[in-house]
């Protein structure tokens, strides 16, 4: 396909956190590419919501320090940070046992180990930033299929009942993995259910969070409380991720708010004082989904379409961001070298570059859940030893901290710098 016959260079199926961030990164770092985002939800950069209303019930994401650096590179961090609560300390503990480990930002010479941002706020910042770029947006519309062509792809789109086709050099699937598109395109996801659900809510406590994120492992599953709601001062709100079995979830959902606060108190203890309020609860079944081969000629998977992790370790979107930058790096290189962006060699290098980080992060978050989800006595003793050991051994603790901060994989930022600073590709 030559540039006269192709409708657009790249189609991104899905304009959620991953798809929208990819579109922005391309607009900033590979502006030569014409990018079209197809999003099934009726949200668009041309008409973003007027205001950000920090709702008591909105979902939030723990952004690692490495993700802050990526957003800085994309010129979005200043805006995002207006409503991002810093995580200055991480406290990991095991209910009813003595092991605990603590990480402190100052030990790593940083202001924060990470940040907590509302998904709604991130979406709004992304939409506003995209509004000033040449990225085209089709919404509400859904990608329903793809056909390979010589040097490109033909993408089938349903837009308000009408069937359309767009040609492009490459399709990136960022649909979150729930629309069935990746299976339709022949990708084979591997899914391992955890047999648990994540219950999400915002909570208020009588003590201030002091910018501390708590990860607490209990015999019925892990729980995380992330500091939330006040970038400038240590507030009393935290974002809760509580893992529960199916039975237990039904039981908790049937409780009054007072009973939920009491159940939380029993599980979590008193480190944040009394739980005084709980917002609306949302819940998600938990599974580990990975796709071993996330690329084909002309098509690549990113974000949750490529990997969905247990949320308690707060790694999913952070890993996705690093993957997006690895892909952008390869698109930049292809454009510079005049190679088709959908070429399997280009997409294969993205997979190769991201693979080690991907494996390490999946293993980190999965082993946290599996080791700390066990109630068998020998395992419990071993994990106590692990937590204590982590606290005492600077090397082990540093590795844990680097993973939590999103700086544990390969040099994630070198590639982001390169298009701007002109670093040689081989150094990436
Ligand atoms: C409870 C919970 C807590 C989490 N907490 C954290 C955390 O603290 N830190 C962290 O790093 N990660 C966290 N994650 C993971 C993080 O939320 C995901 O990694 C991230 O949302 C994935 O974004 P995505 O864009 O890939 O998918 P999605 O957010 O699912 O977006 C997919 C988009 O594609 C659109 N779409 C779907 N099908 C089609 C189609 N056929 N055509 C066009 N558009 C389509 C959808 O409308 C949607 O907008 C958490 C996840 C959960 C469930």
């Amino acid at each position: 396909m030559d540039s006269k016959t192709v409708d657009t260079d790249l189609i991104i199926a899905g304009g959620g956190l991953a798809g929208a961030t990819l579109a922005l990164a391309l607009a900033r770092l590979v502006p030569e590419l014409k990018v079209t985002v197809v999003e099934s939800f009726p949200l668009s950069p041309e008409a973003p919501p007027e205001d950000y209303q920090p709702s008591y019930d909105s979902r939030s994401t723990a952004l690692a320090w490495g993700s802050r650096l990526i957003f800085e590179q994309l010129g979005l961090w200043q805006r995002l940070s207006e409503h991002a609560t810093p995580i200055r300390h991480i406290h990991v503990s095991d209910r009813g046992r003595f092991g605990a480990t603590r990480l402190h930002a100052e030990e790593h010479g940083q202001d924060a180990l990470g940040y907590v941002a509302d998904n709604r706020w991130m979406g709004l910042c992304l939409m506003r930033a995209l509004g000033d770029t040449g990225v085209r947006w089709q919404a509400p519309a859904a990608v329903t299929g793809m056909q390979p062509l010589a040097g490109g792809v033909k993408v089938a789109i349903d837009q308000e009942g009408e069937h359309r086709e767009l040609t492009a050099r490459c399709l990136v699937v960022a649909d979150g993995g729930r629309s069935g598109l990746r299976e339709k395109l022949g990708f084979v996801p591997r899914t391992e259910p955890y047999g648990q659900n994540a219950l999400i809510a915002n909570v208020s406590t009588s003590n201030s969070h002091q910018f501390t994120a708590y990860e607490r492992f209990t015999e019925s599953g892990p729980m995380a409380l992330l500091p939330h709601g006040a970038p400038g001062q240590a507030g009393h709100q935290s974002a809760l991720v509580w893992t529960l079995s199916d039975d237990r979830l039904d039981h908790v959902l049937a409780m009054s708010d007072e009973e939920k606060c009491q159940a939380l108190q029993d599980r979590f203890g008193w480190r944040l004082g009394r739980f005084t309020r709980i917002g609306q609860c949302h819940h998600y079944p938990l599974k580990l989904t990975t796709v071993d081969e996330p690329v084909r000629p002309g098509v690549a998977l990113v974000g949750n379409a490529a990997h969905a992790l247990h949320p308690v370790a707060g790694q999913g979107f952070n890993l996705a961001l690093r993957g997006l930058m690895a892909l952008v790096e390869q698109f930049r290189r292809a454009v510079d070298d005049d190679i088709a962006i959908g070429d399997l060699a280009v997409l294969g290098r993205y997979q190769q570059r991201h693979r080690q980080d991907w494996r390490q992060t999946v293993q980190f978050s999965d082993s946290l859940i599996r080791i700390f989800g066990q109630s068998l006595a020998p395992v419990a003793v071993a994990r106590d030893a692990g937590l204590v050991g982590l606290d005492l051994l600077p090397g082990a603790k540093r590795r844990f901290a680097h993973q939590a901060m999103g700086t544990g994989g390969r040099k994630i930022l070198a590639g982001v710098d390169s298009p701007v600073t002109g670093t040689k590709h081989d150094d990436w």
Side-chain angles (χ1 to χ4, degrees):
M1 286 192 297
D2 63 35
S3 52
K4 293 196 189 81
T5 55
V6 76
D7 293 317
T8 186
D9 291 312
L10 184 80
I11 294 174
I12 302 175
L17 285 180
T21 308
L22 174 64
L24 184 67
L26 288 167
R28 299 275 193 259
L29 304 173
V30 201
E32 297 92 331
L33 292 180
K34 279 191 286 172
V35 176
T36 301
V37 179
V38 181
E39 164 55 45
S40 49
F41 206 71
L43 178 68
S44 98
E46 284 90 53
E50 285 299 304
D51 296 314
Y52 166 65
Q53 289 154 340
S55 141
Y56 198 75
D57 303 319
S58 54
R59 215 174 97 178
S60 34
T61 294
L63 294 173
W65 178 260
S67 298
R68 167 193 166 143
L69 300 180
I70 290 175
F71 280 125
E72 274 178 5
Q73 203 69 41
L74 302 184
L76 202 69
W77 178 250
Q78 204 174 350
R79 198 67 191 268
L80 265 181
S81 65
E82 288 171 21
H83 294 287
T85 310
I87 300 173
R88 303 224 161 96
H89 317 278
I90 297 180
H91 183 282
V92 186
S93 63
D94 201 349
R95 181 175 178 261
R97 310 193 73 86
F98 62 88
T101 195
R102 297 161 192 81
L103 306 176
H104 305 286
E106 68 262 24
E107 286 172 2
H108 300 272
Q110 290 173 186
D111 288 346
L113 294 160
Y115 297 84
V116 182
D118 284 352
N119 289 13
R120 187 174 147 70
W121 174 240
M122 286 200 283
L124 190 55
C125 290
L126 280 164
M127 289 305 132
R128 284 188 182 146
L130 279 166
D132 297 331
T133 67
V135 171
R136 283 188 236 162
W137 199 272
Q138 296 197 359
V143 171
T144 54
M146 182 214 83
Q147 196 186 319
L149 300 175
V153 292
K154 191 197 279 180
V155 174
I157 298 170
D158 270 356
Q159 186 155 22
E160 295 180 291
E162 272 185 39
H163 179 76
R164 303 182 52 205
E165 283 174 344
L166 273 186
T167 54
R169 294 178 201 289
C170 185
L171 168 70
V172 175
V173 178
D175 71 338
R178 283 189 303 269
S179 78
L181 183 58
R182 76 182 160 198
E183 287 82 356
K184 220 184 262 182
L185 302 182
F187 291 96
V188 185
R190 248 190 313 146
T191 300
E192 294 171 47
Y194 285 111
Q196 291 177 326
N197 303 276
L199 182 142
I200 310 296
N202 288 335
V203 295
S204 291
T205 53
S206 59
N207 291 355
S208 147
H209 52 60
Q210 299 296 340
F211 303 110
T212 304
Y214 292 92
E215 291 196 27
R216 184 141 176 85
F217 294 90
T218 77
E219 62 278 14
S220 57
M223 163 184 280
L225 277 150
L226 308 171
H228 184 243
Q233 63 190 58
H236 293 253
Q237 258 191 43
S238 295
L240 166 72
V241 184
W242 184 2
T243 30
L244 295 160
S245 65
D246 291 345
D247 289 354
R248 186 78 189 138
L249 175 72
D250 291 342
H251 183 65
V252 170
L253 289 175
M255 290 177 176
S256 67
D257 286 357
E258 291 70 31
E259 287 167 334
K260 285 185 188 117
C261 285
Q262 187 55 53
L264 255 179
Q265 198 83 61
D266 293 343
R267 287 280 130 207
F268 180 77
W270 291 86
R271 283 198 172 88
L272 281 166
R274 179 174 294 285
F275 286 90
T276 55
R277 189 179 161 196
I278 183 163
Q280 195 181 335
C281 296
H282 301 272
H283 55 95
Y284 307 83
L286 293 176
K287 50 193 178 205
L288 171 66
T289 305
T290 52
V291 181
D292 286 341
E293 297 291 332
V295 300
R296 291 276 158 85
V299 53
L301 309 181
V302 297
N304 266 24
H307 45 68
L309 314 183
H310 196 299
V312 95
Q315 298 277 317
F317 181 59
N318 293 298
L319 174 65
L321 263 184
R322 300 195 294 273
L324 298 178
M325 299 317 288
L327 183 60
V328 170
E329 180 182 317
Q330 294 312 319
F331 285 154
R332 176 71 262 163
R333 186 175 177 166
V335 169
D336 289 346
D337 297 347
D338 206 14
I339 302 172
I341 57 168
D343 197 298
L344 189 58
V346 172
L347 301 178
R349 266 199 305 271
Y350 145 65
Q351 180 190 1
Q352 204 187 339
R353 290 284 177 155
H354 188 45
R355 195 195 292 267
Q356 191 198 338
D357 184 12
W358 174 85
R359 282 203 177 130
Q360 202 170 303
T361 307
V362 168
Q363 202 184 11
F364 171 76
S365 101
D366 190 48
S367 54
L368 266 187
I369 307 313
R370 295 199 192 280
I371 296 172
F372 289 95
Q374 301 272 346
S375 54
L376 288 172
V379 182
V381 170
R383 75 186 179 216
D384 281 353
L387 281 178
V388 173
L390 214 53
D391 223 29
L392 297 179
L393 293 171
K397 196 167 158 184
R398 204 176 313 119
R399 279 197 297 282
F400 184 87
H402 280 303
Q403 192 64 53
M405 288 190 290
T407 51
R410 71 182 198 87
K411 290 198 298 171
I412 53 163
L413 289 167
V416 183
D417 291 341
S418 318
V420 179
T421 59
T423 311
K424 274 197 266 136
H425 297 314
D426 291 342
D427 298 338
W428 295 6

